[in-house]
Amino acid sequence: MKVIHIVEASATGTLSMLALLANAQIAQKNNVEVIYSYRPETPVDIKSFFSPEIILTNIQMYSASEKLKSLKKIRSRLDISGPDIVIMHSSFAGFLGRLSSIGILQKAKFFYIPHCISFMRKDIGFLKHYLFVLFEWFAAIKKADYIACSESERSAISKYIPFRNCHLVENAVAINTADFTPNKRTTKTVITVGQIRPQKGPEDFSAIAKKALAIDSEIKFLWVGDGEPQYKKLLEQSGVTVLGWMQKDNVLKSLHSADIYLSSAKWEGMPVSLIEAIYSGLPLIASKCAGNIDVIVNGSTGWIYNSVNEAALKVVEVANDKHMANTVAESAFDLAKERFSTQRYLSDMNKLMLSYSQ
């Protein structure tokens, strides 16, 4: 079977999930090609994420002019390759991939994995929200099944695009769960991982850090990632150490050396970083937003907060109660080791792919 993946957002959780699926498909003796685009945050070693047997084709889709030019290039590549299955990752890739393939590959099956669909954003107004919905309707001229990564995303897609199939396949993380040990150290380190941009709530993270440090000055706040300078400056002024981008192995080492994972996100699909934190033995404290609420059972496998004040108080409480932190971390891991396993994810994906290739 010939499978082509198309990705524009070639970084962070989207890249992780793409690499997991593509590498598994090549191991199953399929022919796999990845059409990808560079972004500023794309890892310089992106090729190392993929098996050497996977064909990697660079078609730029980042700038407005690149997006326009990519339509013809993607269409040409799809027409030449003649795939049985096309899987599009992220909103731009879903839009460009579908438009570029109108009128060709009638027998191929198309899947679109938004990894948090654009109209779920919380930093846009009413008009822009419905503009994104209209873009999805327009691209849906080309029939493709949606694959949502969380129940929150599935509900949003089914509400606004009821005329297309939407399947739920929750995200997973390829980590050796045998290495799991709840954090038993005596430090008070709070960490988050991601781009410094509005989606991840850097303003709230800054405010939480400032309030928590006013109560307990021994707590240390870390942000792994980089991004918009004004938010980076705000974080640093609030006592947060910004570590910048790291190789994946170093990100996991940073998680293992921390004590609490704090997500201040405004919206998510299903955050891979939360799952990685669970496997690293960290208790989770997270904002009440789509994606976060799909991972955490409040009070059992982590804590969902409604306000900055509530989050700051919970950070201080958990930082000073190692028994409670470890109990919740263990509970989260017990559920995650099957629910978010790569075996479950690949099994779900294989069932979908095979149901259309037979």
Side-chain angles (χ1 to χ4, degrees), residues 12-272:
T12 61
T14 301
L15 179 58
S16 296
M17 297 312 303
L18 162 62
L20 172 63
L21 182 56
N23 288 331
Q25 289 169 336
I26 202 74
Q28 294 162 356
K29 306 303 180 183
N30 297 299
N31 294 317
V32 180
E33 179 176 356
V34 173
I35 297 173
Y36 70 98
S37 175
Y38 283 107
R39 278 186 170 193
E41 65 272 19
T42 299
V44 294
D45 62 338
I46 185 172
K47 293 182 179 180
S48 70
F49 283 68
F50 299 98
S51 164
E53 298 177 58
I54 294 174
I55 299 170
L56 297 177
T57 303
N58 174 232
I59 296 178
Q60 281 303 107
M61 301 171 249
Y62 183 61
S63 68
S65 62
E66 288 172 347
K67 286 178 173 64
L68 286 173
K69 293 175 183 176
S70 73
L71 289 169
K72 183 179 180 180
K73 293 177 181 178
I74 293 171
R75 184 181 182 87
S76 176
R77 190 62 199 163
L78 291 175
D79 203 18
I80 292 170
S81 297
D84 302 294
I85 289 177
V86 178
I87 306 173
M88 300 160 288
H89 302 257
S90 77
S91 293
F92 277 127
F95 185 78
L96 298 170
R98 284 178 290 175
L99 287 190
S100 65
S101 59
I102 291 174
I104 63 172
L105 301 176
Q106 301 301 329
K107 295 183 179 180
K109 181 61 187 178
F110 282 70
F111 293 96
Y112 168 31
I113 311 177
H115 300 281
C116 191
I117 200 160
S118 59
F119 54 72
M120 289 179 69
R121 288 172 54 177
K122 298 300 182 183
D123 62 337
I124 56 176
F126 175 85
L127 290 178
K128 197 167 186 178
H129 168 83
Y130 278 98
L131 181 62
F132 284 149
V133 174
L134 288 175
F135 280 146
E136 288 292 335
W137 280 32
F138 180 58
I141 293 171
K142 177 67 177 183
K143 187 177 180 181
D145 280 17
Y146 287 76
I147 302 178
C149 62
S150 69
E151 178 55 33
S152 290
E153 186 180 35
R154 190 205 63 78
S155 296
I157 293 170
S158 297
K159 177 181 178 180
Y160 290 105
I161 313 165
F163 50 86
R164 287 287 177 252
N165 292 331
C166 184
H167 312 276
L168 172 62
V169 180
E170 291 186 328
N171 281 344
V173 172
I175 291 180
N176 184 2
T177 58
D179 292 338
F180 171 81
T181 52
N183 192 291
K184 298 282 197 304
R185 293 176 300 101
T186 57
T187 60
K188 302 177 182 180
T189 302
V190 180
I191 194 170
T192 200
V193 179
Q195 289 178 264
I196 303 175
R197 56 177 175 165
Q199 180 197 353
K200 299 299 182 180
E203 293 174 306
D204 284 355
F205 196 94
S206 298
I208 293 166
K210 196 170 184 178
K211 289 178 181 293
L213 288 168
I215 301 171
D216 187 342
S217 60
E218 293 182 356
I219 299 175
K220 184 177 182 180
F221 286 84
L222 305 177
W223 189 301
V224 177
D226 210 334
E228 299 183 27
Q230 69 272 29
Y231 294 124
K232 182 177 178 180
K233 183 177 179 181
L234 178 63
L235 288 165
E236 291 172 338
Q237 289 174 339
S238 301
V240 180
T241 300
V242 178
L243 299 177
W245 292 114
M246 295 181 174
Q247 298 288 341
K248 191 66 175 180
D249 288 348
N250 290 330
V251 172
L252 296 177
K253 287 178 183 177
S254 295
L255 288 172
H256 279 288
S257 66
D259 300 274
I260 298 169
Y261 192 91
L262 172 64
S263 168
S264 54
K266 299 297 185 181
W267 72 93
E268 294 276 12
M270 174 167 277
V272 170

Side-chain angles (χ1 to χ4, degrees), residues 334-352:
D334 287 341
L335 291 177
K337 62 186 178 183
E338 292 185 6
R339 180 184 175 190
F340 301 127
S341 71
T342 57
Q343 292 82 2
R344 187 276 309 159
Y345 177 78
L346 295 173
S347 174
D348 289 350
M349 282 295 188
N350 283 337
K351 288 175 184 177
L352 265 182

